[in-house]
């Protein structure tokens, strides 16, 4: 059930303690993919995973702006501070739990959110009245070539939002993008901003995928999410402190 | 231009310093209107106003969860703390301004956000690198009978999202709703929560409107927003400190 | 009982759970009225209301500096940040409640404090061990022509602190003042600072009142406060969460 | 010039960069002295010192509630958290400095405020646009027998506010009071609260003074403050960072 | 140069802009390794790397307590909140930079600190007057079998602090330890605390190493740190914002 | 028992509720004494006092960086903000208390930490699950000539860390040092930074002591600490709120 479309009486009638909170980012994804890529993919995976799961799950509206200062050199990138993001997620989860939906999977579409989500979900699970885990879809799917605006994200969009991928700019995206993320020495990434290593913000070759790959990725990710929901639903939370 | 659908290169090509940030809330609106009412109406007004405005305006993704603790007794209501909401809005506006879109109209669909938006927009305008004003659509339209989930909001939805209004529950909504907001004495509202004065969360009679009224309201509100955008675009900001 | 003048043993002997906390501001009120207008009027109303009320009420010392950055262009205006003001009020109320005075009316004399007081009193009432409501005296009295340093405030001072009104500057105050507060378009005030629309900080014609009007205003306001105290005293707080 | 009584035009006409901010506390002072002792004495010293000083000084309204949790077991004691107190003082000083009064002496009447004032005045002086120092009157006067509600404070009140001292309770105050402050071992005070070592909150024998002693104390303290104002006025602040 | 042992005049004579800040944790490392393992190893690597580097480097004292709430079920584990840890590191780095040592490598010995250090070093590098990168020694050395109190950390201690490894408890450590870290499903670790998956806190078999392996690890890690210092020293920081 | 060297199983076997947390500062101590003076002396006193005490005491690792902005003009001085320092100490104490060591003596070696430690230990003792007191060794020993890098600290180092005192710079230290701390008028120190009154940071003549004096000081201080530990161990904490 999508909360935004439901009335409170509908929501009140649902019998579950499972909720999903999609979390994305509004940030550059090269010249070919939309700024909303991370929200759109998180929502697509959340919907498909919940659909596949055998049971009721409440779906909260997606958090549209996350941790993306690293992309600020590219126009249109929006971001908030890490603490603000964590507070926004933590309190949204707390209000879900207030209604009894206290097992929450945060479905994340953005690499830059991962560490902050792990931190805040640990805090929620240890100190608040909820258990929450962050699920980042491309960490669960078969996506070794993730990059940024690369084959993985582009494929998923080609499948789920084909109108938003600028196919005529894929060559340009590949030409001026980077092969890898960051600038590494001794296990340390010396770069903090994507503009330091990618001319147009892309990492990876977005031509190396396609709608079929996108369908597989969505399938993988939603299967993984469905499995996770089962495990979270069954988990014994009685002595987690 | 909707940022979520645009690429960064598209966004980079826009020549404007005007942006709109829709802000709503996910909260009860009676048994007949969806929890997402305030986001949906804010987005509808933002889109219509920007469409009507003669010039380019960047549209950021809507903030979906706001200040709504007062409705927490009704299932599905989500909220964050006032400070978190202000920070989230302030930093999102700052990132818009980072790209040169430093005249920002926050298009708000929720009464509970008004005071916090005025506070944070004043802070932005005095201390940050942007000028921002909050525009609450029902304060600009002809809506003396606003209520909550009452004729004004219900009408707008009947026009803009007719599938989301449960027409068959309008009588029930009216029957168990309240006539007015709050519990007043000596100019003071003694009640802090809607459950203190409305049995089902509704205030006002949602049957006293309809899609036609909704069309008029949207027309009024978008015209008002378009006028505001013109004034904000022209405003001399050189010595606002 | 005024706490400042009482000993702790006197305070300990009082049998009540009602307290009043006057809150003002130190800020410009035109060339004719003192910077302390909002504190002085809040104290006058608090005293008269408590006097009129049939029962014991503890009166805390007035908070002298509030939210007044909007008047900073006029010399002598003092202000703190909104969060600081809210914390100062919240914790002062908490210490009143610590002694059993957990039904608190915050008697406010400044328009700029209203939103912040509503926010913090809601927080206190929902989350702390007290019930608090803000009472702004000119919202309770018959004061449609409120303005700023206008006929309403000037009249009250002419009655209660006639030595502090510079009668010989009233014409000047009226001549260079503004007719209305702010600069409005589409239901939005584009101005954040009083210097944007009033040359000398005055809004309204302070000559349109007098000591008689002031006496009536004080009478109205104190009656309203007394009524409010009765209602707050009787209010059932058992399930306010 | 007392800001509260002045108009902004009066304040604007003052030619000085010196301001005084009285700071007190509302807290128990035994069965014989009022809860407002620390505010009243701070105001008395501030007024007398400014009067004695040869030059113009702006006097801000007194901060009435400070750091006094240690007295919370005695009815009527009010307090805020240390951070709130520091913020309130810091921002009030910043608004004084905004008008050019950027050499500020904080005239303090409460021992519990001393450490926090030193911390915040250092922060102001190093990081803000003002130079501020805290002056605690009984550290400047000849007051080795300070105590709490003891001979020093009681004497000053007997001179400056004789109506507020309950002479008929002095014996009782002495009988159930403590001889010294705290419970010391190895240079450490093991007690955090005054109720741990004084039955009625008094420390020292309030009978060992009188109005004459109070006059001397006020004389000493105001002379010391006047001297301090001269030094602060002359101080070279050009390279304090 | 170790700051703790140097005088300020010695420190003043150093010509470098490079500093190293060791950061550890005080937390359980099984029944065989000391609670200080992460501090001791971070210091050992920092010293060896600085020694190997051809140039002057200032070494700050180690931060002894970090982010370790996940080990709180095991006696002796100390921790602070993530925000406190980030602030402590950020401000310590800022004071290093104040003296001109504005290229800082944070040498980290604890996995739980990694995400927080990346976040705070990004913030420092983007917003403060310093460039900082976190270096986690076991991410730079050949340590695929890292675990927790496993062969990697135990080996390093056997080489660098052999007296602190309880050789007679290695069998016990291995017997009741875990094979892997966490409880994974769909790319998500469902466990937040080490007690959920390891009986005695150990992960990995500490017998599978030894002093020789420790020497190699220290050699690898210090070589990597030395290389990193060279790169950080040469890095062009002119346009990092 | 030093936590850093102990395993968690060792720590678990200790039967005590007493812990000691050494707290110092890394800051200038003249041209002759090391930047780590305040950590080294705090650790020396903590160790000697715990040794002398008849009973078990857990010793936490020392906090190396404290409140020292006042010495920032001298190279090598490190500092954090007061709030950060208080949080770091408070949370470290809370984690000690989590393991049952809830009677904590903070052994302090730095004058600049005193006020902040008193504030945070009061907060801990009133609001957290621990009782904590700060012990500053030179306030307990016979040290009227404390100064800064003066005879007291220099003597203790000459006894406990003789290799770290630059004997050949003692004359220089004395020559360019100050006789007293600060710049006083009317009981107020007008100076915030040591560079305002001491050319080389020294206050007092470091030649007026020696290793013998240091031994006496350590003896005095450790005896005082041992006595304090006994008193803290016996203290009735049942009604400290």
């Amino acid at each position: 059930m999508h909360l935004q479309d439901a009335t409170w009486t509908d929501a009140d009638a649902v019998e579950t303690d499972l909720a999903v909170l999609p979390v994305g980012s509004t940030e550059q994804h090269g010249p070919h993919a939309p700024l909303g890529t991370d929200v759109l993919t998180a929502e697509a995976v959340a919907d498909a995973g919940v659909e596949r799961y055998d049971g009721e799950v409440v779906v909260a509206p997606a958090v549209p702006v996350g941790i993306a200062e690293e992309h600020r050199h590219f126009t249109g990138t929006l971001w908030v501070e890490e603490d603000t993001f964590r507070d926004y997620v933590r309190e949204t989860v707390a209000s879900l739990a207030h209604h009894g939906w206290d097992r929450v999977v945060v479905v994340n579409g953005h690499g830059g959110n991962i560490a902050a989500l792990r931190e805040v979900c640990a805090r929620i699970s240890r100190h608040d009245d909820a258990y929450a885990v962050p699920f980042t879809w491309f960490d669960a799917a078969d996506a070794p070539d993730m990059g940024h605006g690369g084959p993985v994200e582009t494929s998923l969009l080609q499948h789920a939002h084909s109108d938003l991928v600028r196919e005529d700019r894929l060559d340009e995206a590949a030409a001026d993008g980077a092969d890898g993320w960051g600038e590494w020495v001794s296990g340390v990434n010396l770069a903090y901003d994507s503009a330091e290593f990618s001319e147009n913000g892309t990492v990876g070759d977005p031509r190396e995928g396609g709608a079929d790959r996108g369908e597989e990725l969505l399938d993988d990710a939603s299967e993984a999410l469905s499995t996770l929901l089962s495990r979270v639903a069954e988990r014994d939370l009685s002595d987690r402190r």
Side-chain angles (χ1 to χ4, degrees), chain A residues 21-26 38-39 43 60-66 85 88-89 92 113:
Chain A
L21 173 63
V23 169
S25 178
T26 300
D38 293 347
V39 186
E43 288 177 324
V63 178
V65 175
F85 177 73
Y88 198 83
V89 168
T92 300
N113 292 340

Side-chain angles (χ1 to χ4, degrees), chain A residues 42-214:
Chain A
E43 288 177 324
V45 170
D47 286 351
V50 164
E51 173 76 17
R52 191 176 288 234
Y53 175 70
D54 182 22
E56 292 223 69
V57 184
V58 164
V59 182
V63 178
V65 175
I67 299 176
E69 196 174 0
E70 62 192 346
H71 296 298
R72 72 193 179 286
H73 300 89
F74 297 100
T75 307
T77 298
L78 305 182
W79 71 94
V80 292
E81 293 195 12
E82 288 88 347
D83 276 337
T84 301
F85 177 73
R86 280 187 288 260
D87 287 346
Y88 198 83
V89 168
R90 183 180 189 181
E91 295 165 18
T92 300
V93 169
S95 51
L96 288 166
H98 175 83
H99 303 298
W101 308 317
D102 58 359
R103 294 167 186 258
V104 181
V105 176
V106 179
V107 176
N108 175 43
H110 173 45
N113 292 340
I114 292 176
L117 287 175
R118 182 77 192 166
E119 178 178 323
V120 74
C121 287
R123 183 167 296 275
I124 290 167
S125 300
R126 289 196 191 108
H127 298 286
D128 298 347
D129 295 324
Y131 173 75
V133 284
F135 168 86
T136 299
W137 68 265
F138 46 80
D139 281 353
D142 182 23
D145 50 343
M146 177 59 190
H148 186 77
V152 173
E153 289 176 298
T154 305
S155 294
L156 192 56
L157 287 173
Q158 282 164 327
H159 170 63
H161 293 276
S162 59
D163 55 314
L164 293 179
V165 178
R166 281 64 168 177
E167 298 286 342
D168 57 339
R169 300 187 199 156
L170 292 182
D171 288 342
E172 172 199 343
D176 296 334
D179 291 336
W181 181 277
E183 185 184 348
W184 297 82
V185 55
S186 300
V188 174
N189 180 5
L190 296 176
Y192 285 111
D193 296 320
S194 56
E196 295 181 77
F197 51 82
S198 174
E199 210 174 307
N200 67 10
T202 313
V203 176
D205 188 337
R207 297 168 304 191
E208 294 177 354
D212 288 354
R213 172 91 193 278

